[in-house]
Amino acid sequence: MADDGIWSDYGSVWLAGAGPGDPDLLTRKAERLLQSADVVFHDALVGIGVLDLIPASVERISVGKRSGRHSKDQRSIDQMIVDAALAGKKVVRLKGGDPSIFGRATEELAACRAAGIAVRICPGVTAASAAAADLGVSLTLRGLARRLTFVTAHVVRGAVPDVDWAALADRQATLAVYMGKAAAAHVSAGLIGAGLPPDTPVALVENASLPERLTFLTRLDLLPLAAKSALRDGPAVILIGEALRGACPVDQSPLGEVLHAGN
């Protein structure tokens, strides 16, 4: 496939968003980049269907990081990208979701720019948007959910999230918590302690957009139990706020009932 001018030159880099996993949610531009690249460095969470779009002629290198199972440290990934570009290759750094949302894009952008390499970003569908689609709900709601806040609650095992709960306990907002399953108890306690009502609607979505997705509707005070018992080991996003009260997954489960798996 021709690159149609999307590459500035050989020896340049694109940070491309792979979306939440469903290859149909990949942008047309990202697909063109994958088709015309020389090498693709991809995350562990990039969907198999998306990886299958990479031609056999394109070098494919996994640099994925999963909790407790890091294959490469960030500095090594930065250097691999820079070395490939300096060797004259057209490089795609393929990241799950959107590169600019908890994708550690800043380090890779800085490394490329420090080496004088042209680098650009191709955005992707982020997990919160895909989760909202799976739930059949809007993340914003006139007069009720005027703001949307993204936060990561990723912690090292045994640590407590360093989060300003008072700033996040906003009844006029929808809160999207990324990488928050392990910290669900801290999220629940922190938000309730900061004044958010215990019965605030919560939705957990694992493997958003994929056939094997799981959706679970609960309330804030029951979030720790739900995160522990309802989900498996896939990537999940936690959505919190009054806008979720109208959530209607495919199985039509009312708030507080158990799980919906797949289509």
Side-chain angles (χ1 to χ4, degrees):
M1 179 181 292
D3 64 41
D4 298 326
I6 55 176
W7 295 97
S8 59
D9 202 349
Y10 285 88
S12 59
V13 176
W14 277 92
L15 308 186
D22 181 353
D24 286 340
L25 294 180
L26 189 71
T27 67
R28 293 176 64 187
K29 186 169 190 173
E31 183 174 6
R32 286 164 53 207
L33 288 167
L34 296 179
Q35 294 284 327
S36 58
D38 294 315
V39 58
V40 175
F41 296 97
H42 66 87
D43 282 347
L45 295 180
V46 173
I48 295 299
V50 174
L51 294 178
D52 286 344
L53 296 173
I54 302 173
S57 59
V58 177
E59 186 179 7
R60 196 169 87 180
I61 300 173
S62 174
V63 291
K65 297 194 288 289
R66 294 292 300 272
S67 180
R69 303 192 298 274
H70 289 195
S71 65
K72 295 286 184 182
D73 63 83
Q74 188 60 49
R75 184 172 295 182
S76 297
I77 295 170
D78 296 344
Q79 193 60 55
M80 292 171 71
I81 294 169
V82 167
D83 289 346
L86 290 176
K89 295 181 178 180
K90 294 184 290 186
V91 180
V92 171
R93 173 66 170 103
L94 188 62
K95 295 171 173 285
D98 184 292
S100 300
I101 300 177
F102 306 126
R104 302 195 73 166
T106 300
E107 295 96 322
E108 292 166 12
L109 290 167
C112 289
R113 288 166 180 160
I117 295 165
V119 57
R120 287 178 284 176
I121 296 175
C122 175
V125 175
T126 190
S129 296
D134 287 340
L135 294 164
V137 70
S138 172
L139 294 175
T140 58
L141 188 60
R142 185 183 303 173
L144 190 62
R146 299 173 180 272
R147 289 172 290 281
L148 175 60
T149 302
F150 294 165
V151 63
T152 175
H154 175 69
V155 294
V156 178
R157 186 180 298 274
V160 176
D162 182 17
V163 175
D164 184 352
W165 299 114
L168 297 176
D170 183 353
R171 300 190 191 198
Q172 292 286 309
T174 301
L175 180 63
V177 184
Y178 286 66
M179 296 170 278
K181 280 195 295 186
H186 296 296
V187 172
S188 176
L191 291 174
I192 292 172
L196 210 57
D199 66 346
T200 299
V202 171
L204 299 93
V205 180
E206 182 177 276
N207 291 317
S209 83
L210 296 174
E212 63 270 26
R213 71 180 178 272
L214 297 176
T215 59
F216 193 90
L217 304 176
T218 186
R219 42 187 276 168
L220 186 56
D221 55 351
L222 300 178
L223 171 59
L225 177 62
K228 184 176 181 179
S229 62
L231 301 181
R232 299 183 294 228
D233 63 351
V237 62
I238 302 170
L239 303 176
I240 302 169
E242 285 299 323
L244 278 300
R245 202 171 290 280
C248 185
V250 176
D251 66 345
Q252 304 289 306
S253 294
L255 187 66
E257 288 193 3
V258 239
L259 192 62
H260 163 62
N263 291 315

